[in-house]
Amino acid sequence: MFDLETTGLSPERDGIVEIGALRVVDGRIDESQRFETLVRPTTATGETMLIPWHAQRVHGISNDMVSRAPTIAEVLPEFLDFVGASGVVAHNIGFDGGFMRANAARLGLSWRPAAEHCTVQLSRRAFPKERAHNLTVLAERLGLSFAPGGRHRSFGDVQVTAQAYVRLLDLLGQAAVTPAASR
């Protein structure tokens, strides 16, 4: 499981400001196996990028908070090692996976998880008559709650995404995939 917070919506122009991840092993969430870090966003040339006010309003991560954080060039190899050859799950995998692919390519690294699973797609299958499938609505629908201050922060979002994933697989009658199991 993983979640990103970013400076905007474009993997080519915007930067990652936070990564949160945890493992689901045999259908169980293992919060002892976690990855969580702020990231100082940088441009393609490695210069520090400022977090726009509209992005700060969403996730609450300020330029001061990331001023001493490692850059994506420092963080991404560690995160790729954490993921290893496992599959990954994200809420809206196209967004998070797009940022991972773009950043990996920019750094000469490879983003090749064994599989990519999306809780938005699982939600659509589990609740086909519902129109909204964002994480807040899905959490409410499944009776899940975010830790105080956890919504729109990577680790808070990934905790709820993991819980939603496990419940959605149960609702859909599927065996739990272990997307980030230990190697």
Side-chain angles (χ1 to χ4, degrees):
M1 300 283 154
F2 79 105
D3 184 76
L4 305 176
E5 299 303 331
T6 65
T7 62
L9 302 176
S10 171
E12 291 77 28
R13 291 186 307 275
D14 294 307
I16 295 170
V17 298
E18 188 175 43
I19 301 174
L22 56 83
R23 295 187 192 282
V24 173
V25 181
D26 298 326
R28 294 178 190 249
I29 300 163
D30 183 355
E31 289 201 30
S32 71
Q33 296 186 60
R34 66 195 290 169
F35 186 97
E36 182 177 16
T37 187
L38 287 170
V39 180
R40 182 168 34 95
T42 54
T43 65
T45 60
E47 296 174 44
T48 296
M49 174 188 300
L50 294 177
I51 304 170
W53 67 270
H54 62 295
Q56 289 184 47
R57 277 192 3 193
V58 172
H59 49 58
I61 300 170
S62 69
N63 291 303
D64 286 343
M65 292 169 68
V66 299
S67 66
R68 291 192 175 100
T71 65
I72 195 66
E74 297 166 294
V75 169
L76 192 54
E78 293 175 34
F79 182 67
L80 293 175
D81 188 52
F82 178 83
V83 171
S86 299
V88 294
V89 176
H91 194 77
N92 191 2
I93 191 71
F95 178 83
D96 296 274
F99 268 88
M100 296 310 291
R101 273 186 291 286
N103 280 275
R106 208 170 6 256
L107 296 169
L109 301 171
S110 177
W111 171 251
R112 291 188 186 151
E116 292 184 346
H117 302 276
C118 182
T119 53
V120 172
Q121 295 302 318
L122 290 173
S123 178
R124 287 181 177 144
R125 287 180 35 212
F127 305 105
K129 294 181 181 179
E130 300 293 339
R131 292 184 59 184
H133 298 278
N134 67 60
L135 190 55
T136 300
V137 169
L138 180 59
E140 289 172 8
R141 195 173 285 143
L142 295 173
L144 305 173
S145 59
F146 293 89
R151 182 66 178 116
H152 292 297
R153 289 300 302 268
S154 291
F155 201 75
D157 284 357
V158 84
Q159 287 175 308
V160 170
T161 299
Q163 294 169 27
Y165 176 72
V166 170
R167 288 196 186 175
L168 286 166
L169 288 182
D170 188 49
L171 282 171
L172 293 167
Q174 297 180 16
V177 177
T178 54
S182 298
R183 287 176 274 164

